[in-house]
Amino acid sequence: MAGPRVVIIGAGVVGAALADEISARGWTEVTVVDQGPLPATGGSSSHAPGLVFQANSSKTMTELARYTVEKFCSLDVDGQPCFLQVGGLEVATTPERVTELHRRQGWLTSWGVESRIVTADECVDMHPLVNRDRVHAGLHIPTDGLAKAVLAVEAQIRRATGRGVTFLARHEVLDVLQADGEVTGVRTDQGDLQADIVVCCAGIWGPRIARMAGMNLPLTPLAHQLAWTGPVPALAGQTEEAVRPILRHQDADLYYRDRHDTLGIGYYGHRPMPITADDILSVDEADGMPSVLKFTEDDFADAWTETQSLLPATREAKIEEAINGLFSFTTDGLPLLGESPDVKGFWVAEAVWVTHSAGVGRAVAEWLVDGHCSSFDLHECDVNRFEPHQLAPEYVLARDCQNFVEVYDILHPLQPSGDPRPLRTSPFYARQQELGAFFQEANGWERPHWYEANAGLVEGRSIVTPNDWAARYWSPIIGAEAQATRETVAMYDMTALKRLEVSGRGAAGFLERLCTGKVAKSVGSVTYTLLLDHDGGIRSDITVARLAPDLFQVGANGNLDLDWFTRHLPADGTVQVRDITPGTCCIGLWGPLARDVLQPLTDDDFSAAGLKYFRAKRAHIGSVPVTAMRLSYVGELGWELYTTADQGLKLWDTLWRAARPLGGVAAGRGAFNSLRLEKGYRSFGTDMTYEHDPYEAGVGFAVKADKEDFVGKAALERRRADVRRKLTCLTIEDPRAVVMGKEPVYDGQRAVGYVTSAAFGHTIGKGIAYAWLPAELAVAGRALHIGYFDQRVEAVVAQEPLFDPAMSRLRG
């Protein structure tokens, strides 16, 4: 036996996958417990219809699904395959859905999964039951198929058992045992199990189990309707379980799969039917599977009518079996993976459907054994990504139900989120409402995207109107605000950005160990630097301002940065980290006239010499005490001005009165994004993630290789000599061809990369797209194409930055 003692709670498709993957990496002192029988434990895996569609806007989710397909294709139980690779077919019954299929095909191409758009006739050839008159086109993914979930569980149990893993059926978990902030084991109805690590893979029961360890999971089990027809005469004589592609009719929230001469029908179009984990019956209490609730026939009426229209052969059949089956939904539609922030050794792998199960098993196994995941970028899935308000029961229920309703909807990248809103508002919110702000949500904050009060700025300007898709949730005011920022001065609400305070006599050494740059410099210094994982991948890019010998302010990217800092705190109490975001606010005052606005309001020296670029100081603006940092994410002269929330409105009004006579405006996130791309500034989570290193991402300047040591340094030195891909700036001449991100990039007919961030550069007069490309193609002047729906957009590799390469405006 090898490795620490591990207890996995839940032997469904996720727990079995984790046991298999972790034992394959040499950890064999592993026990898997489940309240139900094996291999059909009674959870979601036991009734799941098994459809595996790999298309997803998330690269990570597609890669998790792709690994699941590859692994399941290699598994069998006594000759019975665990995966039927019949392919997947998504059909469009509206012109809007045809367009959406092209977008989805673009995602698949970007993420390296074979697919193609097929004609209506080809749809019928692949699935003869489809009504030709209803269908416009389809998306075919040949490697999709049907996972035999219970068989896959059994196959992985056999493999893990062969390596020494123990599986205990009929063991109900009563408690997670802890001592001194660490797990020590699991209490079951048949005795205690000692453990160094406990992983909760309990699926729909996950919130109840996690609560035993003090974790609040933003997960809601919701009922989803699944019905089976009786024999369909048109399928008579079909001896194989499945011969046609799995079929999705997303315009009506429906999917279909073969089962010999019958059809399975899944439906998401009914009302949300949530249930709490505490209300789910135990295996012994349930009449059948506890994850299966009584079918509500009235909710299925529209689904059956639509099915008979799309698949006319079903008119000769009846619904003979039907359930309301429970599945897990989260507030952002992504899994919950990782370790508790409060109880060391307690991990979760929750809200994982069969589609991604084997991939998640591998990811969590790597994370546990190696200390990081090398196969997948998990920043979107980390359970510690949430802000406190995102764990509130009311918020969780509302957003989980919304995600159920929207599971097959066509969602625009900028589509505003639903209720509950507003949740977090900056002190400037009332003034922004007066200016007619169009708000988008950012980490719960209401953040202006543009201001209707600036509509008059559009007159006399040449503002390009983008194509129809890019023009949604867009206004020409965005372009006017961007140009006005470069011409005069603009005020940007930067409150939504995460701010951390790091203090204590060990603070400087602590930050030096975590950061790639030298941050223990003179008081007043500001450093752009990176946080790396142990494999040299970028965990975040941050700014660190030294405000006193033992006090630093960190501009972070989100709650994962706070979690990373907290996990690395020294045990001796010499360092404290706290989130100061809710009690503070920030205005970005930027533009060539920014000094003309600011200097008359203060006795402090804000000249170029008085506060140099990337320096900070405490000052008073009017009667408001501020921390001023000479930074600019838009590439213009100016400052980030921080104050406490109680004085934020006064700061806004003070600056506003001074800026207006000089032509100053309030500007929103739309202008901000355009300007930052003109300047070539990266955005973590979009342009670069855990899978990228600094030299690939073009931020190698933030690494000080002569530092004695920092987390990830050794791995990074190995990666530096082998840069095979680069984050690359592309420009687009066609002013209407504004792409939006995640589109494939082509060299001739070969897909070679994908777009990360994109916008129109309103002050350079070109479209801008950053993309990951092979290093040999990242050469200025190289002509390429971007796949945008069913079009190919001409693009060319450009030297960056596109705006002010001499940095004269920033340093003026």
Side-chain angles (χ1 to χ4, degrees):
M1 308 291 280
R5 297 169 299 176
V6 180
V7 172
I8 298 172
I9 302 172
V13 73
V14 179
L18 176 56
D20 180 34
E21 296 284 344
I22 202 170
S23 61
R25 286 162 176 77
W27 284 16
T28 54
E29 197 168 346
V30 178
T31 302
V32 185
V33 297
D34 200 291
Q35 63 177 332
L38 300 176
T41 62
S44 300
S45 303
S46 301
H47 74 257
L51 283 76
V52 175
F53 278 92
Q54 297 165 86
N56 198 295
S57 62
S58 164
K59 181 174 183 282
T60 296
M61 295 300 281
T62 294
E63 290 177 340
L64 291 170
R66 180 167 52 196
Y67 179 78
T68 301
V69 167
E70 293 170 355
K71 183 175 183 180
F72 282 9
C73 282
S74 71
L75 299 177
D76 70 272
V77 175
D78 301 329
Q80 299 179 75
C82 294
F83 194 77
L84 307 178
Q85 200 159 40
V86 293
L89 180 63
E90 303 182 11
V91 294
T93 59
T94 63
E96 293 79 13
R97 185 65 64 172
V98 174
T99 302
E100 172 69 358
L101 292 187
H102 281 285
R103 183 168 71 129
R104 295 172 67 79
Q105 199 267 340
W107 295 339
L108 288 160
T109 303
S110 291
W111 315 147
V113 177
E114 178 188 355
S115 66
R116 67 186 182 97
I117 300 295
V118 296
T119 66
D121 288 336
E122 288 176 297
C123 291
V124 176
D125 288 341
M126 293 179 186
H127 204 299
L129 272 60
V130 168
N131 182 351
R132 172 64 181 78
D133 294 337
R134 291 291 315 280
V135 176
H136 293 256
L139 172 61
H140 181 236
I141 307 99
T143 52
D144 285 348
L146 289 168
K148 307 288 290 179
V150 174
L151 279 180
V153 168
E154 184 172 359
Q156 292 175 103
I157 286 176
R158 289 186 182 187
R159 285 159 53 122
T161 301
R163 302 187 192 104
V165 174
T166 300
F167 285 81
L168 299 176
R170 297 287 185 179
H171 280 61
E172 182 181 359
V173 173
L174 304 177
D175 200 5
V176 175
L177 305 177
Q178 309 163 50
D180 300 322
E182 299 184 18
V183 296
T184 60
V186 169
R187 177 156 293 156
T188 78
D189 59 351
Q190 299 189 46
D192 293 353
L193 300 169
Q194 301 304 306
D196 305 301
I197 294 171
V198 173
V199 188
C200 178
C201 303
I204 53 178
W205 290 278
R208 182 165 64 85
I209 299 296
R211 199 162 57 242
M212 297 174 185
M215 280 191 80
N216 182 10
L217 291 185
L219 181 160
T220 303
L222 282 110
H224 156 61
Q225 293 197 304
L226 176 64
W228 295 93
T229 70
V232 178
L235 304 181
Q238 181 175 319
T239 56
E240 295 182 60
E241 179 178 348
V243 297
R244 279 164 289 279
I246 51 176
L247 181 67
R248 283 210 280 197
H249 175 25
Q250 292 161 299
D251 285 319
D253 298 301
L254 285 159
Y255 64 76
Y256 306 93
R257 57 150 295 175
D258 289 10
R259 188 177 69 179
H260 303 292
D261 62 347
T262 70
L263 283 178
I265 306 169
Y267 186 44
Y268 289 104
H270 54 78
R271 61 191 169 91
M273 294 183 274
I275 186 172
T276 68
D278 292 329
D279 289 334
I280 302 171
L281 298 177
S282 68
V283 171
D284 292 331
E285 293 172 326
D287 182 14
M289 295 183 195
S291 62
V292 171
L293 306 182
K294 184 179 178 181
F295 184 64
T296 50
E297 188 172 354
D298 289 348
D299 291 304
F300 196 72
D302 290 343
W304 184 230
T305 299
E306 181 62 25
T307 295
Q308 291 174 310
S309 174
L310 183 72
L311 308 174
T314 59
R315 297 170 188 168
E316 300 180 63
K318 296 181 179 180
I319 300 297
E320 293 194 354
E321 306 171 50
I323 63 170
N324 285 5
L326 294 175
F327 289 90
S328 298
F329 281 78
T330 62
T331 54
D332 56 10
L334 294 165
L336 308 173
L337 311 179
E339 187 180 19
S340 163
D342 302 313
V343 181
K344 185 178 180 181
F346 183 79
W347 290 66
V348 298
E350 288 292 342
V352 181
W353 292 6
V354 173
T355 298
H356 310 102
S357 58
V360 165
R362 178 174 182 171
V364 175
E366 290 180 350
W367 199 350
L368 285 166
V369 175
D370 302 329
H372 59 86
C373 178
S374 57
S375 296
F376 309 98
D377 163 34
L378 296 181
H379 86 275
E380 293 178 315
C381 306
D382 193 314
V383 70
N384 297 296
R385 65 189 180 268
F386 300 103
E387 297 288 329
H389 75 274
Q390 294 172 317
L391 300 176
E394 178 184 332
Y395 180 94
V396 171
L397 180 60
R399 290 295 172 90
D400 289 358
C401 289
Q402 178 183 340
N403 281 329
F404 177 88
V405 170
E406 295 177 347
V407 70
Y408 279 173
D409 286 1
I410 299 172
L411 299 177
H412 192 275
L414 296 177
Q415 185 164 320
S417 55
D419 289 334
R421 284 182 68 187
L423 281 168
R424 309 175 83 183
T425 56
S426 78
F428 326 130
Y429 184 61
R431 296 293 185 262
Q432 293 165 345
Q433 288 179 304
E434 293 168 3
L435 293 172
F438 176 81
F439 290 100
Q440 295 278 27
E441 184 185 7
N443 296 324
W445 293 96
E446 295 296 321
R447 183 170 65 186
H449 205 55
W450 72 81
Y451 294 88
E452 286 295 331
N454 292 329
L457 286 176
V458 177
E459 296 178 16
R461 297 179 183 272
S462 177
I463 308 296
V464 174
T465 301
N467 55 78
D468 292 345
W469 181 251
R472 297 187 188 185
Y473 311 109
W474 175 88
S475 168
I477 297 171
I478 290 172
E481 290 177 355
Q483 293 176 4
T485 302
R486 299 249 188 260
E487 295 164 357
T488 55
V489 63
M491 292 166 54
Y492 288 83
D493 182 357
M494 304 299 289
T495 302
L497 299 183
K498 193 80 161 178
R499 292 174 293 284
L500 306 178
E501 181 184 271
V502 182
S503 61
R505 59 185 173 84
F510 170 75
L511 288 168
E512 280 290 316
R513 187 168 66 87
L514 293 182
C515 296
T516 61
K518 294 181 179 179
V519 298
K521 298 184 290 191
S522 62
V523 172
S525 65
V526 183
T527 306
Y528 174 81
T529 185
L530 306 173
L531 303 177
L532 303 184
D533 212 329
H534 296 280
D535 66 345
I538 301 170
R539 285 196 65 93
S540 189
D541 65 334
I542 61 175
T543 56
V544 179
R546 192 171 199 176
L547 303 181
D550 294 339
L551 178 66
F552 297 80
Q553 181 172 313
V554 175
N557 280 299
N559 214 55
L560 290 181
D561 293 344
L562 174 60
D563 181 67
W564 185 252
F565 280 171
T566 303
R567 291 182 188 280
H568 287 83
L569 284 173
D572 60 8
T574 57
V575 183
Q576 296 81 46
V577 176
R578 68 186 185 102
D579 182 0
I580 62 172
T581 312
T584 56
C585 57
C586 179
I587 295 174
L589 181 72
W590 294 315
L593 300 184
R595 186 173 286 119
D596 297 312
V597 171
L598 195 62
Q599 189 61 76
L601 300 174
T602 180
D603 293 332
D604 292 279
D605 186 1
F606 278 86
S607 67
L611 186 60
K612 296 179 180 179
Y613 187 51
F614 264 81
R615 297 289 297 179
K617 70 177 178 180
R618 299 277 175 73
H620 284 84
I621 306 302
S623 61
V624 180
V626 301
T627 298
M629 298 187 193
R630 179 94 185 271
L631 308 176
S632 172
Y633 207 51
V634 301
E636 291 291 338
L637 169 67
W639 301 268
E640 293 178 357
L641 301 171
Y642 299 88
T643 191
T644 51
D646 61 322
Q647 301 211 50
L649 185 59
K650 182 65 173 177
L651 177 63
W652 178 281
D653 289 345
T654 300
L655 294 171
W656 184 251
R657 283 193 297 269
R660 288 302 289 160
L662 300 178
V665 300
R669 187 68 178 185
F672 178 91
N673 196 50
S674 171
L675 296 171
R676 71 103 177 165
L677 287 177
E678 289 184 341
K679 194 59 184 169
Y681 292 146
R682 277 67 167 142
S683 173
F684 178 81
T686 302
D687 298 316
M688 53 191 185
T689 66
Y690 293 1
E691 67 176 300
H692 307 115
D693 70 47
Y695 305 111
E696 297 172 327
V699 288
F701 63 87
V703 178
K704 301 305 179 187
D706 59 345
K707 280 187 65 174
E708 182 176 342
D709 196 17
F710 53 82
V711 172
K713 180 181 180 182
L716 186 60
E717 288 175 348
R718 293 191 295 270
R719 295 175 67 154
R720 183 175 187 174
D722 190 27
V723 176
R724 301 183 182 183
R725 59 183 175 180
K726 288 187 176 181
L727 183 62
T728 307
C729 180
L730 305 176
T731 57
I732 303 166
E733 291 294 334
D734 183 348
R736 282 183 51 82
V738 176
V739 302
M740 302 198 70
K742 303 187 178 182
E743 298 89 356
V745 179
Y746 293 89
D747 179 26
Q749 296 302 308
R750 181 173 62 105
V752 292
Y754 60 92
V755 173
T756 58
S757 296
F760 190 80
H762 292 284
T763 67
I764 66 165
K766 295 180 181 180
I768 307 168
Y770 273 79
W772 281 101
L773 296 175
E776 64 271 17
L777 297 181
V779 178
R782 181 68 180 243
L784 300 166
H785 289 85
I786 299 172
Y788 188 63
F789 294 95
D790 59 345
Q791 306 166 28
R792 293 289 179 90
V793 175
E794 294 182 358
V796 63
V797 175
Q799 190 73 39
E800 58 173 327
L802 300 171
F803 179 81
D804 189 25
M807 304 282 283
S808 59
R809 294 173 75 103
L810 277 168
R811 299 179 184 278

